[in-house]
Amino acid sequence: MIRRHPLAIAICVTLAACAREQAPPFDLVIANGRVLDPESGLDAERHIGIRGGKIDVVSETPLKGGRVIDAARHIVSPGFIDLHEHGQQDESYRMMVRDGVTSAFELEVGTGDVAAWYAAREAGQIVNHGVSAGHIPARMKVLGDPGQGLLPAGIGGSGTATDAQMAAMEVILREGLAQGAVAIGFGSAYTPGAPISEIERMFRVAAEGGVSAHIHMRGGLKGLQETIAAAAAAHAALHIVHVNSSAGDEIDGFLTAITAARDGGQDVTTEAYPYGAGMTEIQSALFDEWQTWPEPRFALHQLVSTGQRLTRATFAKARAAGGTVIIHGRSEEQTRAAIASPLAMIASDGFIENGRGHPRTSGSYAKVLGKYVRDDKTVTLIDALRRMTLDPARRLERRTPAMLNKGRIKAGADADLTIFDPATVIDRATYEDATIASAGIPYVIVGGQLVVDGGNVTTARPGRAIRAPIATKSR
Ligand SMILES: [Zn+2]
């Protein structure tokens, strides 16, 4: 549509309207919704016409479609983009999508084999998906860690790497980037054997590849300052994962330090999930000191497989057997401070396996919208949506141009959309049952197809790989 000459506007609009009348109907139309787009600031009733998986038009007048969804009294938002999701399988995707997520990334731990990771999901998934090349799995591979899960259970975490071993990790990370990894993942909290100099060396690989470094850091506020300094020295873009749990009661100091780095011109971003408990593998380095704990501390730990709170004896047993544990203990004020910060993107850090997991997998987005936006008025709606859509898209788009078409509602953008009722949206998953879907999100669209229709997950699998451009091998 040409709209350059002011005198031509009336004719063009008329012609466009005529063409629209005569054109075959859109594949799908979202009618009468309150459309919010954090990039343009649009907040108005509009009709969205979808064709070929893309948003074709955002119109003030009604449109005809093969199917028309009446979104009256509902918000139409860009689909939510989760930068921290370990559950990269159908069972987790089924929960996340009912929480409004349309693109899910595993960027913290990542993978040691990027090509295989994408190949395993090639048939199409419920949501779009992507991965980082991970320092943790690279280190586990190079040092020969015995861990069977995501995280080191021995030498991969605690061992010291030689110069040659670090060079071998760099090779794995570079290979991952060449295969289309969208970031590099780190977990210095899980690799206490890696000095900050090793982390900085791997940050340099991220800088060289033009990707952000996503890190679950260690060491509280001092650790944050060290991590920010290492990223600055390496000229790497830095993303601090789950600032709520990494900071704990130092949340104000964390947010101040990140703001200061940003004000100084450094590329530092962060994320949070809206729950007071964390979750991780019980054999990981986070619990290496467990034998020194006072008795009451064990009761803050809840075994995911059974929902049971632990004692010294049952903790010892579970630590030997392996598995996942939920860690209670942060205050509501700490969670609220993280969620209130305009710096914090919303990211779930979730997964569900065999019906068990953390409620953040299933409820993070609805909880922010229902509790923190509507009920508590801690965050404005548009700010919350920006941190669920546009900000995560922008974090990745420099290296992964596919993200330029996500996180926005405009003609030409991917038709990834979440439609929710602002009066009823809320999380329902609990620490005892994380498989209860969020309420108030009746329709979710991925690539122009309904993946949630009337609150139910459909059989459509339009979710595609989101990958950075793959390097073609030169001689
Ligand atoms: Zn995580």
Side-chain angles (χ1 to χ4, degrees):
M1 204 192 310
I2 299 160
R3 284 190 163 174
R4 297 227 171 79
H5 196 288
L7 291 177
I9 286 175
I11 298 163
C12 272
V13 167
T14 313
L15 283 179
C18 289
R20 206 174 289 151
E21 274 301 304
Q22 286 156 12
F26 293 101
D27 301 340
L28 181 63
V29 166
I30 315 298
N32 310 311
R34 178 180 161 199
V35 176
L36 266 87
D37 175 48
E39 186 182 52
S40 63
L42 174 69
D43 178 357
E45 191 181 309
R46 290 285 185 273
H47 308 271
I48 298 178
I50 295 167
R51 193 173 274 146
K54 298 269 183 189
I55 296 173
D56 198 67
V57 65
V58 180
S59 166
E60 291 181 36
T61 53
L63 304 168
K64 286 182 186 159
R67 169 142 184 217
V68 177
I69 289 172
D70 183 10
R73 296 177 305 283
H74 284 65
I75 307 268
V76 183
S77 163
F80 306 151
I81 299 170
D82 187 349
L83 296 186
H84 192 152
E85 171 58 59
H86 301 294
Q88 296 286 339
Q89 22 76 340
D90 201 72
E91 188 182 9
S92 293
Y93 293 151
R94 294 180 77 85
M95 298 311 308
M96 296 154 44
V97 77
R98 278 184 283 177
D99 199 34
V101 172
T102 57
S103 296
F105 293 88
E106 156 63 279
L107 303 186
E108 176 207 43
V109 178
T111 178
D113 190 339
V114 171
W117 192 95
Y118 281 111
R121 291 160 183 83
E122 197 164 64
Q125 303 296 326
I126 300 178
V127 300
N128 305 305
H129 45 276
V131 75
S132 66
H135 174 238
I136 298 175
R139 200 172 203 274
M140 287 169 73
K141 205 186 253 182
V142 170
L143 294 187
D145 190 86
Q148 298 303 308
L150 275 178
L151 300 171
I155 191 166
S158 58
T160 309
T162 64
D163 187 66
Q165 286 171 323
M166 283 191 246
M169 294 175 210
E170 289 176 319
V171 169
I172 294 173
L173 297 181
R174 287 200 182 100
E175 201 170 72
L177 292 180
Q179 292 169 351
V182 303
I184 293 183
F186 294 85
S188 55
Y190 295 116
T191 56
I196 194 71
S197 55
E198 178 181 328
I199 302 294
E200 184 181 320
R201 183 164 164 180
M202 303 302 144
F203 278 173
R204 288 184 195 280
V205 181
E208 153 201 313
V211 297
S212 41
H214 295 241
I215 184 165
H216 178 163
M217 43 141 291
R218 63 177 175 232
L221 197 49
K222 198 166 156 276
L224 175 67
Q225 271 141 2
E226 205 174 65
T227 305
I228 289 175
H235 303 286
L238 180 67
H239 183 83
I240 303 291
V241 305
H242 47 54
V243 68
N244 55 307
S245 68
S246 288
D249 60 8
E250 295 179 311
I251 185 67
D252 294 338
F254 264 62
L255 294 170
T256 304
I258 293 170
T259 303
R262 290 169 61 88
D263 289 349
Q266 199 176 337
D267 182 355
V268 186
T269 54
T270 191
E271 62 176 50
Y273 59 83
Y275 292 85
M279 178 178 72
T280 196
E281 286 177 12
I282 198 163
Q283 289 182 333
S284 80
L286 298 199
F287 306 113
D288 282 354
E289 308 287 301
W290 71 274
Q291 277 156 315
T292 66
W293 290 359
E295 191 61 38
R297 186 159 169 191
F298 292 100
L300 295 175
H301 296 75
Q302 188 176 16
L303 204 59
V304 168
S305 60
T306 60
Q308 171 198 28
R309 295 276 187 150
L310 298 176
T311 63
R312 182 178 296 278
T314 54
F315 189 97
K317 220 167 138 190
R319 168 97 172 168
T324 312
V325 69
I326 287 171
I327 312 126
H328 294 272
R330 287 191 303 277
S331 70
E332 174 58 21
E333 288 64 37
Q334 291 164 21
T335 302
R336 186 181 304 277
I339 298 302
S341 169
L343 289 179
M345 300 177 202
I346 305 304
S348 72
D349 193 11
F351 76 86
I352 296 277
E353 206 169 41
N354 301 321
R356 308 294 305 178
H358 190 297
R360 66 194 181 192
T361 316
S362 316
S364 284
Y365 294 85
K367 185 170 182 182
V368 170
L369 294 170
K371 176 176 166 57
Y372 293 102
V373 173
R374 180 190 59 230
D375 297 344
D376 297 357
K377 300 185 172 52
T378 305
V379 188
T380 65
L381 178 59
I382 191 76
D383 187 48
L385 292 179
R386 172 180 58 78
R387 291 152 53 195
M388 297 172 175
T389 62
L390 183 65
D391 285 358
R394 284 186 170 156
R395 177 72 287 184
L396 300 181
E397 69 194 19
R398 188 161 54 113
R399 162 78 178 163
T400 305
M403 296 309 290
L404 288 161
N405 293 323
K406 298 199 180 291
R408 287 103 165 156
I409 295 185
K410 62 181 179 188
D414 293 338
D416 296 345
L417 298 165
T418 294
I419 300 167
F420 63 93
D421 181 347
T424 63
V425 65
I426 199 70
D427 62 299
R428 293 187 305 186
T430 66
Y431 290 109
E432 284 66 41
D433 187 354
T435 67
I436 311 173
S438 291
I441 308 181
Y443 301 101
V444 179
I445 295 158
V446 171
Q449 296 187 41
L450 280 156
V451 286
V452 174
D453 188 352
N456 298 308
V457 178
T458 69
T459 55
R461 294 295 179 269
R464 294 288 172 263
I466 300 175
R467 238 166 145 150
I470 297 169
T472 45
K473 281 224 168 86
S474 55
R475 292 172 299 136

